[in-house]
């Protein structure tokens, strides 16, 4: 099996591109969805957070808002949170790969380069779009302020560097253009 790491900064069109890989019949594992499962009712992270950060567990789930407050009030908390979450996410990803019998699978990991995960991939695909379109997409969601968007960007690797480090770059300027590029990537990888 060929494992593709799919990455890209916020607002670049990664989720839409992941769906295009699914449309090609390729199984996709989503890191963000894995965290939601782990934080949800009966999620594997809940008892661990209940033991270490009980104030972050509300109604049997890990509250992202409460967790943000914990991290803001205690700078050392982020490292502890990562020590809880990263192994659980890695286990979830490994279970997905183990049960997948396709010739190719995609691992949708927003912070692939930031966390050094690219070395575990057979190929890396980065999605990209111009900065104005990226900002417009994020602001249209209505889920964060411009300042919050800038804070997230500051924590992510520069887009040009991500693209330079990737095996394939998909420009998400239009749906059809992105779809053509996804198809080309899949065809190319299947020839290898």
């Amino acid at each position: 099996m060929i494992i593709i790491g799919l990455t890209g900064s916020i607002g670049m069109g990664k989720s839409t591109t992941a769906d295009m890989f699914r449309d090609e019949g390729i199984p996709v594992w989503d890191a963000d969805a894995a965290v939601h499962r782990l934080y949800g009712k009966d999620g594997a992270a809940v008892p661990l957070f209940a033991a270490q950060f009980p104030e972050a567990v509300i109604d049997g789930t890990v509250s992202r808002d409460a967790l943000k407050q914990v991290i803001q009030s205690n700078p050392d908390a982020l490292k502890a949170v990562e020590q809880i979450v990263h192994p659980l996410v890695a286990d979830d990803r490994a279970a997905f790969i183990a049960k997948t019998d396709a010739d190719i699978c995609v691992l949708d990991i927003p912070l692939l380069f930031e966390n050094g995960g690219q070395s575990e991939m057979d190929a890396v695909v980065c999605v990209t779009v111009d900065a104005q379109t990226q900002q417009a997409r994020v602001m249209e969601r209505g889920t964060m302020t411009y300042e919050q968007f800038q804070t997230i960007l500051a924590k992510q690797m520069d887009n040009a560097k991500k693209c330079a480090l990737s095996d394939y770059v998909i420009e998400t300027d239009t749906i059809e253009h992105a779809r053509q590029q996804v198809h080309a990537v899949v065809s190319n990888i299947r020839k290898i």
Side-chain angles (χ1 to χ4, degrees):
M1 176 189 323
I2 296 171
I3 300 174
I4 300 172
L6 175 63
T7 195
S9 296
I10 185 172
M12 291 291 187
K14 192 174 50 51
S15 297
T16 301
T17 304
D19 287 339
M20 292 175 186
F21 277 102
R22 286 184 186 95
D23 293 344
E24 292 277 337
I26 294 172
V28 176
W29 177 84
D30 181 329
D32 289 339
V35 171
H36 281 287
R37 284 193 303 277
L38 294 165
Y39 283 12
K41 286 261 190 227
D42 301 319
V46 176
L48 300 173
F49 277 101
Q52 193 155 358
F53 302 107
E55 64 275 28
V57 177
I58 299 171
D59 295 329
T61 66
V62 178
S63 163
R64 287 180 178 241
D65 289 338
L67 196 54
K68 274 185 205 169
Q69 291 174 357
V70 168
I71 292 167
Q72 286 172 349
S73 65
N74 177 0
D76 296 329
L78 180 59
K79 183 168 245 144
V81 167
E82 290 173 346
Q83 288 172 341
I84 292 170
V85 176
H86 288 179
L88 293 173
V89 170
D91 289 347
D92 191 89
R93 182 175 60 238
F96 170 84
I97 293 168
K99 72 177 183 181
T100 300
D101 58 4
D103 60 334
I104 299 171
C105 76
V106 169
L107 306 180
D108 175 347
I109 306 174
L111 300 176
L112 181 70
F113 287 117
E114 290 85 346
N115 292 328
Q118 70 274 16
S119 62
E120 299 171 31
M121 307 298 139
D122 296 309
V124 175
V125 174
C126 184
V127 294
T128 190
V129 74
D130 65 87
Q132 293 81 10
T133 302
Q134 176 190 26
Q135 180 180 321
R137 286 176 180 172
V138 173
M139 293 296 97
E140 283 168 11
R141 294 177 189 170
T143 58
M144 67 178 68
T145 65
Y146 176 76
E147 291 74 25
Q148 290 168 323
F149 169 59
Q150 291 302 314
T151 299
I152 290 171
L153 275 185
K155 293 178 184 173
Q156 295 183 342
M157 180 183 288
D158 177 70
N159 181 54
K161 186 171 182 183
K162 279 185 184 181
C163 290
L165 291 170
S166 298
D167 301 292
Y168 301 93
V169 176
I170 293 178
E171 188 175 352
T172 63
D173 51 349
T174 69
I175 294 286
E176 194 48 45
H177 187 215
R179 193 177 307 282
Q180 291 167 359
Q181 293 168 84
V182 167
H183 182 74
V185 167
V186 172
S187 297
N188 182 269
I189 287 175
R190 285 203 164 120
K191 287 178 192 168
I192 296 173

